[in-house]
Amino acid sequence: MDPERVPPGIDPTKAHPSRRYNYWLGGKDNFAVDRESAETVASAFPTVYLSARENRAFLQRVVGYLAGEAGIRQFLDIGAGLPSAGNVHEVAQAIEPASRVVYVDNDPVVLVHARALLTSEPRGRTAYIEADLREPGRILENPGLAGTLDLSRPTALMLVATMHFITDDHDPYGVVSRLLSALPPGSFLVMTHATGDHLTPEGYAESVEANERSGVPFRLRSREEFTRFFDGLEILPPGVTSVVEWRPEDPPDKRPAIEDVSMLCGVARVP
């Protein structure tokens, strides 16, 4: 991205998670500050690129399951990030063209690319909301949400590689609870989250320090801390596990090590 052509409202001097993730996935919609931040994280966790790819592969598998076996026709994808191959609406509408998707992100660059996110099958519908996950009420009250999704019907809440950016001072469990409170029985919560469970104490400290230097607030959480997000829900098999091990398509010898990915996931049904 050329800083001289930055649209109004976008700060090219401050790293943002969505553009950094875009860089790890091999995209070009990022600034020098995002690449510097991404490399800082990679200095402590060199396999972060692999983690980003495996997280994306999980997203596509789980949407395929929800739109197929589970019969879900509505998706609320918060922290959607920049468009890339296999977005939620592409996977869901390939299975059921009438699927509806609302994307949410707080990066103005994503808004610039929203047209790519809004390309929908004629029988379905997509919308984009620029909002911050730390203010769930504003997401739920946005007219774009009510105009696209009927929250009296089962909906999949997607929080994929998002909650680790919500630090403890922003009440992460309260945020998720508030969003779930708006969804009816039969809805689903899908989450992935970076973990330090596989790091040595030295490696954990190094990772925390690198994240602090990266300029992007970040909170590694243990499996126990992550599982708390699913309190009161019916967690689907295989339970809280690595994204690598959630209904994988590849045989064990073709999968990366869970330690190299260090990303937890869970899919749960609202009873």
Side-chain angles (χ1 to χ4, degrees):
M1 279 183 147
D2 185 351
E4 295 181 358
R5 299 181 181 178
V6 176
I10 296 173
D11 184 356
T13 68
K14 185 177 180 180
H16 193 281
S18 67
R19 301 193 302 267
R20 195 171 69 175
Y21 189 64
N22 173 263
Y23 172 74
W24 285 328
L25 287 174
K28 298 180 180 179
D29 296 312
N30 47 73
F31 300 113
V33 67
D34 303 308
R35 297 188 288 274
E36 181 180 352
S37 175
E39 292 292 350
T40 297
V41 174
S43 68
F45 185 56
T47 55
V48 65
Y49 304 90
L50 173 65
S51 183
R53 292 194 299 271
E54 289 298 320
N55 185 75
R56 190 73 183 179
F58 163 82
L59 171 71
Q60 293 164 357
R61 292 198 308 275
V62 76
V63 173
Y65 162 77
L66 291 171
E69 292 182 46
I72 293 295
R73 300 291 175 258
Q74 300 191 128
F75 298 81
L76 176 56
D77 184 7
I78 303 179
L82 288 150
S84 61
N87 287 312
V88 171
H89 74 280
E90 294 172 325
V91 177
Q93 291 181 349
I95 296 170
E96 174 46 67
S99 297
R100 294 185 167 215
V101 180
V102 170
Y103 293 104
V104 182
D105 207 288
N106 68 345
D107 182 0
V109 171
V110 180
L111 177 61
V112 173
H113 291 268
R115 288 181 181 175
L117 285 169
L118 301 181
T119 303
S120 172
E121 287 281 343
R123 285 174 284 174
R125 189 168 179 179
T126 60
Y128 175 76
I129 296 172
E130 186 173 2
D132 196 311
L133 175 57
R134 291 168 293 187
E135 299 178 301
R138 294 199 173 192
I139 296 174
L140 296 172
E141 295 162 7
N142 191 290
L145 178 62
T148 307
L149 305 182
D150 176 1
L151 294 187
S152 69
R153 299 173 55 204
T155 300
L157 171 61
M158 314 288 295
L159 295 170
V160 176
T162 301
M163 288 306 298
H164 42 229
F165 298 112
I166 307 301
T167 50
D168 295 344
D169 54 324
H170 288 290
D171 188 20
Y173 299 104
V175 166
V176 174
S177 178
R178 175 71 179 89
L179 292 167
L180 286 173
S181 71
L183 304 183
S187 295
F188 285 85
L189 171 63
V190 176
M191 286 184 62
T192 69
H193 198 296
T195 183
D197 284 359
H198 306 296
L199 301 174
T200 64
E202 295 78 13
Y204 184 89
E206 184 180 359
S207 183
V208 169
E209 189 273 334
N211 278 305
E212 289 176 351
R213 284 191 291 114
S214 76
V216 175
F218 198 84
R219 171 70 156 83
L220 292 168
R221 291 188 171 94
S222 67
R223 186 179 188 278
E224 181 180 6
E225 290 173 313
F226 177 65
T227 302
R228 278 185 57 196
F229 286 110
F230 299 94
D231 284 353
L233 306 180
E234 301 171 354
I235 301 177
L236 273 60
V240 171
T241 186
S242 167
V243 294
V244 174
E245 297 183 331
W246 197 91
R247 307 193 179 200
E249 297 173 351
D250 295 328
D253 61 332
K254 299 294 184 181
R255 300 175 211 154
I258 61 174
E259 294 83 2
D260 290 339
V261 176
S262 286
M263 186 77 70
L264 295 167
C265 72
V267 180
R269 184 179 182 278
V270 177

